[in-house]
Amino acid sequence: MTDTGAYGENLGSRFELQNVPTILSRNVKRGSLALTEIRGNDPIPFCSKPIPIENAYLVAIQKRDYPNHLYWEDGKQYPVQNLRAGQTLLYDLRRDPVVLMDKPFHSIHFYLPSDVLDKVAEEASAPKISELAYKPGCGYDDPTMVNLMSAAATAFTNPEEVPQLFVDHIALAMASHIASTYGGLVPGSHVAKGGLAPWQKKRAKELIESRLDGDLELEDLARECGLSKRHFCRAFRQSTGQSPHEWFQLRRIDRAKDLLLDRDKSLAEVGILSGFSDQSHFTRVFMQYVGTTPGVWRRNRCE
């Protein structure tokens, strides 16, 4: 099936760009979530091409200052704004947003269908979100969104190294944050607060152990436990003290440590067998969680 939402090449073409970096998450049954990086240097002035109207939003993070930002919705021009790097902007794709591109630009756009907001509200036992509240063309200081976007954007640099589980987790966190901050989401009083039942915890761990190659989505884990993704993430952390992605990475490290004790296996071989894309990826993650390189760890244990 061809993706038709406002992300990837569909979005890049509106800014006269090709081959734009894109990260896609399908952790919600009724829609895709995606990040698209938009960047241009010294453009000949042009207005962005109209984006096909759909019941969805774009939430953008400015990666550089953009003074004198001219913006239209439904043909109406809004007051000129001076946007700063790090600010968050919202665009309602039902309102035909158009921007004048007359200077270097760089931003990352989070594609968020309204169906996903409905799902977030449903999982929080809250009323549906009719629309997000924002001032057209204005930038908001939103440190949480910046931090989440920065974490997700690591996948642009080395996409083969980023597990789908991590992408799904960050995308869901961004959708939940937007629903709460701009959609007025207030969880219902009967949202479950407990951890995983013993059988759910056992099943989740078994599934993670069997998919250390990275071929695992948050949807898979939640479905196997009979929970919504939001509830599953909260319950998993309460039961284990870690997010599903953190647990996943630590299990990779545990497997690597066992394999490192076999001196006949090269470091590259250990990395691949532990689910990492290559030796450099293995070394970076190992150092992040263990504090030393796999080679040094092996020498200290095997001498």
Side-chain angles (χ1 to χ4, degrees):
M1 183 174 66
T2 302
D3 292 318
T4 58
Y7 58 86
E9 297 303 311
N10 294 330
L11 180 62
S13 64
R14 308 299 160 180
F15 296 89
E16 302 185 357
L17 300 173
Q18 296 179 338
N19 301 318
V20 291
T22 304
I23 305 167
L24 181 63
S25 170
R26 296 188 184 278
N27 67 347
V28 180
K29 292 181 179 178
R30 287 181 283 178
S32 297
L33 299 171
L35 288 171
T36 304
E37 186 174 22
I38 298 297
R39 182 189 299 199
N41 295 312
D42 301 321
I44 297 173
F46 68 95
C47 284
S48 60
K49 298 176 183 176
I51 300 173
I53 293 175
E54 63 172 311
N55 198 13
Y57 294 88
L58 287 175
V59 182
I61 296 291
Q62 290 295 120
K63 301 297 289 183
R64 66 181 299 167
D65 292 345
Y66 197 85
N68 300 317
H69 174 241
L70 270 66
Y71 177 72
W72 294 261
E73 277 189 3
D74 289 330
K76 175 184 176 181
Q77 181 178 339
Y78 284 83
V80 175
Q81 303 287 331
N82 292 319
L83 303 179
R84 303 190 310 275
Q87 287 190 314
T88 298
L89 289 90
L90 284 79
Y91 304 96
D92 188 336
L93 298 184
R94 297 169 297 184
R95 300 179 182 176
D96 188 25
V98 174
V99 180
L100 176 64
M101 314 306 297
D102 61 348
K103 58 187 73 69
F105 56 91
H106 186 192
S107 56
I108 299 177
H109 294 250
F110 179 51
Y111 172 72
L112 178 59
S114 294
D115 281 351
V116 174
L117 288 174
D118 290 343
K119 187 66 174 176
V120 169
E122 177 185 328
E123 293 177 355
S125 300
K128 285 187 176 182
I129 298 169
S130 59
E131 62 180 359
L132 300 180
Y134 69 96
K135 292 183 179 180
C138 289
Y140 294 88
D141 294 319
D142 187 341
T144 299
M145 193 63 193
V146 170
N147 290 337
L148 289 170
M149 190 77 83
S150 296
T154 58
F156 285 133
T157 305
N158 298 296
E160 71 283 354
E161 297 183 4
V162 180
Q164 188 63 44
L165 184 62
F166 174 73
V167 174
D168 292 346
H169 182 78
I170 291 294
L172 180 61
M174 286 194 289
S176 298
H177 171 71
I178 292 165
S180 298
T181 305
Y182 305 99
L185 176 71
V186 178
S189 60
H190 61 282
V191 176
K193 300 182 181 300
L196 296 174
W199 72 268
Q200 292 171 321
K201 184 176 178 180
K202 180 175 183 292
R203 180 57 185 143
K205 289 182 176 181
E206 288 174 346
L207 193 56
I208 289 173
E209 291 281 356
S210 69
R211 304 274 190 89
L212 293 184
D213 60 354
D215 184 24
L216 178 63
E217 299 183 6
L218 189 58
E219 179 76 36
D220 300 331
L221 287 167
R223 182 176 58 251
E224 287 292 320
C225 293
L227 301 172
S228 70
K229 291 171 293 299
R230 184 187 180 99
H231 184 191
F232 172 77
C233 288
R234 182 174 54 244
F236 189 93
R237 181 178 289 278
Q238 184 166 335
S239 294
T240 66
Q242 295 159 342
S243 72
H245 175 252
E246 290 168 336
W247 184 272
F248 170 81
Q249 292 288 58
L250 287 170
R251 298 295 73 74
R252 278 179 160 181
I253 296 299
D254 287 343
R255 176 178 288 184
K257 286 179 177 178
D258 288 340
L259 294 171
L260 284 169
L261 297 177
D262 181 356
R263 296 300 295 268
D264 292 333
K265 288 184 171 62
S266 69
L267 295 180
E269 186 178 5
V270 170
I272 295 299
L273 291 173
S274 302
F276 298 98
S277 61
D278 54 35
Q279 185 175 338
S280 62
H281 179 210
F282 170 42
T283 299
R284 285 196 295 275
V285 176
F286 195 93
M287 287 189 65
Q288 177 184 350
Y289 284 90
V290 182
T292 189
T293 66
V296 171
W297 188 92
R298 167 182 269 176
R299 287 195 297 272
N300 290 339
R301 294 302 186 282
C302 297
E303 290 182 352

